PDB file of all heavy atoms in Angstrom:
ATOM      1  N   HIS A 188     106.876  99.927 119.519  1.00 93.00           N
ATOM      2  CA  HIS A 188     107.383  99.860 118.095  1.00 93.00           C
ATOM      3  C   HIS A 188     106.878  98.696 117.365  1.00 93.00           C
ATOM      4  O   HIS A 188     106.383  98.736 116.247  1.00 93.00           O
ATOM      5  CB  HIS A 188     108.908 100.005 118.072  1.00 93.00           C
ATOM      6  CG  HIS A 188     109.540 100.119 116.761  1.00 93.00           C
ATOM      7  ND1 HIS A 188     110.772 100.412 116.557  1.00 93.00           N
ATOM      8  CD2 HIS A 188     108.963  99.859 115.504  1.00 93.00           C
ATOM      9  CE1 HIS A 188     111.089 100.412 115.226  1.00 93.00           C
ATOM     10  NE2 HIS A 188     110.009 100.042 114.614  1.00 93.00           N
ATOM     11  N   ALA A 189     107.135  97.530 117.977  1.00 94.00           N
ATOM     12  CA  ALA A 189     106.691  96.243 117.307  1.00 94.00           C
ATOM     13  C   ALA A 189     105.211  96.201 117.120  1.00 94.00           C
ATOM     14  O   ALA A 189     104.766  95.787 116.114  1.00 94.00           O
ATOM     15  CB  ALA A 189     107.168  95.104 118.141  1.00 94.00           C
ATOM     16  N   TRP A 190     104.515  96.563 118.205  1.00 95.00           N
ATOM     17  CA  TRP A 190     103.059  96.587 118.050  1.00 95.00           C
ATOM     18  C   TRP A 190     102.502  97.505 117.033  1.00 95.00           C
ATOM     19  O   TRP A 190     101.614  97.096 116.257  1.00 95.00           O
ATOM     20  CB  TRP A 190     102.456  96.981 119.474  1.00 95.00           C
ATOM     21  CG  TRP A 190     100.961  96.674 119.677  1.00 95.00           C
ATOM     22  CD1 TRP A 190     100.165  95.815 118.905  1.00 95.00           C
ATOM     23  CD2 TRP A 190     100.131  97.319 120.592  1.00 95.00           C
ATOM     24  NE1 TRP A 190      98.907  95.963 119.409  1.00 95.00           N
ATOM     25  CE2 TRP A 190      98.846  96.778 120.436  1.00 95.00           C
ATOM     26  CE3 TRP A 190     100.386  98.147 121.637  1.00 95.00           C
ATOM     27  CZ2 TRP A 190      97.771  97.179 121.143  1.00 95.00           C
ATOM     28  CZ3 TRP A 190      99.252  98.583 122.418  1.00 95.00           C
ATOM     29  CH2 TRP A 190      97.990  98.059 122.199  1.00 95.00           C
ATOM     30  N   SER A 191     103.144  98.638 116.875  1.00 96.00           N
ATOM     31  CA  SER A 191     102.684  99.544 115.833  1.00 96.00           C
ATOM     32  C   SER A 191     102.852  98.949 114.395  1.00 96.00           C
ATOM     33  O   SER A 191     102.057  99.050 113.594  1.00 96.00           O
ATOM     34  CB  SER A 191     103.575 100.798 115.856  1.00 96.00           C
ATOM     35  OG  SER A 191     103.377 101.523 117.078  1.00 96.00           O
ATOM     36  N   VAL A 192     103.995  98.210 114.218  1.00 96.00           N
ATOM     37  CA  VAL A 192     104.219  97.622 112.994  1.00 96.00           C
ATOM     38  C   VAL A 192     103.257  96.405 112.722  1.00 96.00           C
ATOM     39  O   VAL A 192     102.576  96.409 111.738  1.00 96.00           O
ATOM     40  CB  VAL A 192     105.688  97.065 112.883  1.00 96.00           C
ATOM     41  CG1 VAL A 192     105.885  96.290 111.554  1.00 96.00           C
ATOM     42  CG2 VAL A 192     106.670  98.290 112.898  1.00 96.00           C
ATOM     43  N   ILE A 193     103.146  95.521 113.711  1.00 97.00           N
ATOM     44  CA  ILE A 193     102.373  94.339 113.616  1.00 97.00           C
ATOM     45  C   ILE A 193     100.788  94.771 113.424  1.00 97.00           C
ATOM     46  O   ILE A 193     100.153  94.226 112.599  1.00 97.00           O
ATOM     47  CB  ILE A 193     102.620  93.426 114.771  1.00 97.00           C
ATOM     48  CG1 ILE A 193     104.070  92.858 114.781  1.00 97.00           C
ATOM     49  CG2 ILE A 193     101.560  92.262 114.741  1.00 97.00           C
ATOM     50  CD1 ILE A 193     104.462  92.264 116.024  1.00 97.00           C
ATOM     51  N   HIS A 194     100.391  95.557 114.397  1.00 96.00           N
ATOM     52  CA  HIS A 194      98.988  95.966 114.377  1.00 96.00           C
ATOM     53  C   HIS A 194      98.689  96.796 113.069  1.00 96.00           C
ATOM     54  O   HIS A 194      97.680  96.630 112.516  1.00 96.00           O
ATOM     55  CB  HIS A 194      98.649  96.756 115.681  1.00 96.00           C
ATOM     56  CG  HIS A 194      97.213  96.966 115.795  1.00 96.00           C
ATOM     57  ND1 HIS A 194      96.400  96.065 116.307  1.00 96.00           N
ATOM     58  CD2 HIS A 194      96.487  98.175 115.671  1.00 96.00           C
ATOM     59  CE1 HIS A 194      95.084  96.536 116.461  1.00 96.00           C
ATOM     60  NE2 HIS A 194      95.178  97.797 116.040  1.00 96.00           N
ATOM     61  N   GLY A 195      99.552  97.677 112.754  1.00 96.00           N
ATOM     62  CA  GLY A 195      99.352  98.515 111.579  1.00 96.00           C
ATOM     63  C   GLY A 195      99.264  97.738 110.288  1.00 96.00           C
ATOM     64  O   GLY A 195      98.355  97.970 109.444  1.00 96.00           O
ATOM     65  N   LEU A 196     100.186  96.796 110.100  1.00 97.00           N
ATOM     66  CA  LEU A 196     100.201  95.911 108.930  1.00 97.00           C
ATOM     67  C   LEU A 196      98.873  95.142 108.883  1.00 97.00           C
ATOM     68  O   LEU A 196      98.310  94.859 107.832  1.00 97.00           O
ATOM     69  CB  LEU A 196     101.433  95.027 108.933  1.00 97.00           C
ATOM     70  CG  LEU A 196     101.489  94.074 107.715  1.00 97.00           C
ATOM     71  CD1 LEU A 196     101.444  94.815 106.416  1.00 97.00           C
ATOM     72  CD2 LEU A 196     102.729  93.205 107.843  1.00 97.00           C
ATOM     73  N   SER A 197      98.451  94.645 110.089  1.00 97.00           N
ATOM     74  CA  SER A 197      97.183  93.849 110.179  1.00 97.00           C
ATOM     75  C   SER A 197      96.081  94.675 109.551  1.00 97.00           C
ATOM     76  O   SER A 197      95.283  94.254 108.721  1.00 97.00           O
ATOM     77  CB  SER A 197      96.897  93.499 111.559  1.00 97.00           C
ATOM     78  OG  SER A 197      97.935  92.591 112.155  1.00 97.00           O
ATOM     79  N   HIS A 198      95.963  95.956 109.961  1.00 96.00           N
ATOM     80  CA  HIS A 198      94.774  96.822 109.485  1.00 96.00           C
ATOM     81  C   HIS A 198      95.042  97.096 108.019  1.00 96.00           C
ATOM     82  O   HIS A 198      94.020  97.121 107.313  1.00 96.00           O
ATOM     83  CB  HIS A 198      94.742  98.020 110.296  1.00 96.00           C
ATOM     84  CG  HIS A 198      93.872  97.966 111.496  1.00 96.00           C
ATOM     85  ND1 HIS A 198      92.471  97.791 111.381  1.00 96.00           N
ATOM     86  CD2 HIS A 198      94.142  97.847 112.900  1.00 96.00           C
ATOM     87  CE1 HIS A 198      91.911  97.687 112.595  1.00 96.00           C
ATOM     88  NE2 HIS A 198      92.956  97.762 113.496  1.00 96.00           N
ATOM     89  N   LEU A 199      96.266  97.362 107.523  1.00 97.00           N
ATOM     90  CA  LEU A 199      96.444  97.679 106.134  1.00 97.00           C
ATOM     91  C   LEU A 199      95.926  96.482 105.266  1.00 97.00           C
ATOM     92  O   LEU A 199      95.329  96.665 104.218  1.00 97.00           O
ATOM     93  CB  LEU A 199      97.889  97.974 105.911  1.00 97.00           C
ATOM     94  CG  LEU A 199      98.414  99.334 106.427  1.00 97.00           C
ATOM     95  CD1 LEU A 199      99.991  99.406 106.217  1.00 97.00           C
ATOM     96  CD2 LEU A 199      97.758 100.435 105.650  1.00 97.00           C
ATOM     97  N   ILE A 200      96.234  95.227 105.781  1.00 97.00           N
ATOM     98  CA  ILE A 200      95.884  94.065 104.914  1.00 97.00           C
ATOM     99  C   ILE A 200      94.357  93.812 104.962  1.00 97.00           C
ATOM    100  O   ILE A 200      93.756  93.690 103.868  1.00 97.00           O
ATOM    101  CB  ILE A 200      96.588  92.812 105.542  1.00 97.00           C
ATOM    102  CG1 ILE A 200      98.118  92.901 105.317  1.00 97.00           C
ATOM    103  CG2 ILE A 200      96.085  91.536 104.903  1.00 97.00           C
ATOM    104  CD1 ILE A 200      98.885  91.813 105.987  1.00 97.00           C
ATOM    105  N   ILE A 201      93.722  93.877 106.215  1.00 96.00           N
ATOM    106  CA  ILE A 201      92.319  93.591 106.217  1.00 96.00           C
ATOM    107  C   ILE A 201      91.451  94.734 105.568  1.00 96.00           C
ATOM    108  O   ILE A 201      90.287  94.532 105.224  1.00 96.00           O
ATOM    109  CB  ILE A 201      91.837  93.260 107.644  1.00 96.00           C
ATOM    110  CG1 ILE A 201      91.938  94.509 108.591  1.00 96.00           C
ATOM    111  CG2 ILE A 201      92.609  92.077 108.170  1.00 96.00           C
ATOM    112  CD1 ILE A 201      91.433  94.223 109.953  1.00 96.00           C
ATOM    113  N   ASP A 202      92.075  95.916 105.524  1.00 94.00           N
ATOM    114  CA  ASP A 202      91.343  96.991 104.789  1.00 94.00           C
ATOM    115  C   ASP A 202      91.605  97.116 103.380  1.00 94.00           C
ATOM    116  O   ASP A 202      91.171  97.921 102.652  1.00 94.00           O
ATOM    117  CB  ASP A 202      91.770  98.386 105.451  1.00 94.00           C
ATOM    118  CG  ASP A 202      91.235  98.586 106.872  1.00 94.00           C
ATOM    119  OD1 ASP A 202      90.207  97.808 107.216  1.00 94.00           O
ATOM    120  OD2 ASP A 202      91.729  99.368 107.616  1.00 94.00           O
ATOM    121  N   GLY A 203      92.456  96.090 102.860  1.00 94.00           N
ATOM    122  CA  GLY A 203      92.689  96.031 101.469  1.00 94.00           C
ATOM    123  C   GLY A 203      93.639  97.076 100.873  1.00 94.00           C
ATOM    124  O   GLY A 203      93.692  97.329  99.668  1.00 94.00           O
ATOM    125  N   GLN A 204      94.527  97.744 101.800  1.00 95.00           N
ATOM    126  CA  GLN A 204      95.236  98.805 101.382  1.00 95.00           C
ATOM    127  C   GLN A 204      96.605  98.311 100.715  1.00 95.00           C
ATOM    128  O   GLN A 204      97.293  99.160 100.054  1.00 95.00           O
ATOM    129  CB  GLN A 204      95.642  99.682 102.558  1.00 95.00           C
ATOM    130  CG  GLN A 204      94.393 100.349 103.195  1.00 95.00           C
ATOM    131  CD  GLN A 204      93.751 101.274 102.143  1.00 95.00           C
ATOM    132  OE1 GLN A 204      94.360 102.042 101.549  1.00 95.00           O
ATOM    133  NE2 GLN A 204      92.409 101.080 102.017  1.00 95.00           N
ATOM    134  N   VAL A 205      96.979  97.048 100.856  1.00 93.00           N
ATOM    135  CA  VAL A 205      98.251  96.618 100.240  1.00 93.00           C
ATOM    136  C   VAL A 205      98.047  95.775  99.045  1.00 93.00           C
ATOM    137  O   VAL A 205      99.069  95.307  98.387  1.00 93.00           O
ATOM    138  CB  VAL A 205      99.043  95.895 101.293  1.00 93.00           C
ATOM    139  CG1 VAL A 205      99.402  96.733 102.533  1.00 93.00           C
ATOM    140  CG2 VAL A 205      98.383  94.581 101.793  1.00 93.00           C
ATOM    141  N   ASP A 206      96.856  95.416  98.664  1.00 90.00           N
ATOM    142  CA  ASP A 206      96.600  94.560  97.600  1.00 90.00           C
ATOM    143  C   ASP A 206      97.261  94.935  96.302  1.00 90.00           C
ATOM    144  O   ASP A 206      97.625  94.159  95.468  1.00 90.00           O
ATOM    145  CB  ASP A 206      95.072  94.351  97.408  1.00 90.00           C
ATOM    146  CG  ASP A 206      94.429  93.641  98.574  1.00 90.00           C
ATOM    147  OD1 ASP A 206      95.170  93.018  99.392  1.00 90.00           O
ATOM    148  OD2 ASP A 206      93.218  93.599  98.649  1.00 90.00           O
ATOM    149  N   ARG A 207      97.170  96.305  96.007  1.00 89.00           N
ATOM    150  CA  ARG A 207      97.672  96.724  94.718  1.00 89.00           C
ATOM    151  C   ARG A 207      99.177  96.885  94.732  1.00 89.00           C
ATOM    152  O   ARG A 207      99.740  97.258  93.680  1.00 89.00           O
ATOM    153  CB  ARG A 207      97.028  98.115  94.414  1.00 89.00           C
ATOM    154  CG  ARG A 207      97.333  99.259  95.336  1.00 89.00           C
ATOM    155  CD  ARG A 207      96.555 100.531  94.952  1.00 89.00           C
ATOM    156  NE  ARG A 207      96.725 101.609  95.887  1.00 89.00           N
ATOM    157  CZ  ARG A 207      95.997 101.830  96.991  1.00 89.00           C
ATOM    158  NH1 ARG A 207      95.034 100.983  97.237  1.00 89.00           N
ATOM    159  NH2 ARG A 207      96.264 102.990  97.727  1.00 89.00           N
ATOM    160  N   HIS A 208      99.813  96.759  95.954  1.00 93.00           N
ATOM    161  CA  HIS A 208     101.271  96.897  95.984  1.00 93.00           C
ATOM    162  C   HIS A 208     102.046  95.528  96.054  1.00 93.00           C
ATOM    163  O   HIS A 208     103.266  95.567  95.608  1.00 93.00           O
ATOM    164  CB  HIS A 208     101.586  97.653  97.243  1.00 93.00           C
ATOM    165  CG  HIS A 208     100.971  98.993  97.256  1.00 93.00           C
ATOM    166  ND1 HIS A 208     101.271  99.988  96.309  1.00 93.00           N
ATOM    167  CD2 HIS A 208     100.012  99.580  98.145  1.00 93.00           C
ATOM    168  CE1 HIS A 208     100.524 101.097  96.695  1.00 93.00           C
ATOM    169  NE2 HIS A 208      99.831 100.795  97.774  1.00 93.00           N
ATOM    170  N   VAL A 209     101.363  94.476  96.483  1.00 92.00           N
ATOM    171  CA  VAL A 209     102.127  93.190  96.450  1.00 92.00           C
ATOM    172  C   VAL A 209     101.159  92.158  95.958  1.00 92.00           C
ATOM    173  O   VAL A 209      99.942  92.262  95.880  1.00 92.00           O
ATOM    174  CB  VAL A 209     102.403  92.827  97.973  1.00 92.00           C
ATOM    175  CG1 VAL A 209     103.397  93.893  98.563  1.00 92.00           C
ATOM    176  CG2 VAL A 209     101.176  92.676  98.902  1.00 92.00           C
ATOM    177  N   THR A 210     101.810  91.026  95.602  1.00 90.00           N
ATOM    178  CA  THR A 210     101.064  89.924  95.044  1.00 90.00           C
ATOM    179  C   THR A 210     100.954  88.745  96.001  1.00 90.00           C
ATOM    180  O   THR A 210     100.076  87.840  95.831  1.00 90.00           O
ATOM    181  CB  THR A 210     101.757  89.374  93.762  1.00 90.00           C
ATOM    182  OG1 THR A 210     103.023  89.025  94.026  1.00 90.00           O
ATOM    183  CG2 THR A 210     101.718  90.451  92.695  1.00 90.00           C
ATOM    184  N   ASN A 211     101.757  88.706  97.073  1.00 94.00           N
ATOM    185  CA  ASN A 211     101.669  87.587  97.985  1.00 94.00           C
ATOM    186  C   ASN A 211     101.711  88.156  99.412  1.00 94.00           C
ATOM    187  O   ASN A 211     102.764  88.678  99.880  1.00 94.00           O
ATOM    188  CB  ASN A 211     102.923  86.709  97.735  1.00 94.00           C
ATOM    189  CG  ASN A 211     102.797  85.367  98.587  1.00 94.00           C
ATOM    190  OD1 ASN A 211     102.736  85.396  99.760  1.00 94.00           O
ATOM    191  ND2 ASN A 211     102.873  84.284  97.844  1.00 94.00           N
TER     192      ASN A 211
END
Side-chain angles (χ1 to χ4, degrees):
H188 182 167
W190 191 20
S191 299
V192 173
I193 295 168
H194 191 78
L196 181 57
S197 298
H198 270 291
L199 286 173
I200 293 173
I201 66 178
D202 289 341
Q204 297 299 312
V205 301
D206 293 347
R207 62 182 179 274
H208 302 294
V209 298
T210 57
N211 190 303

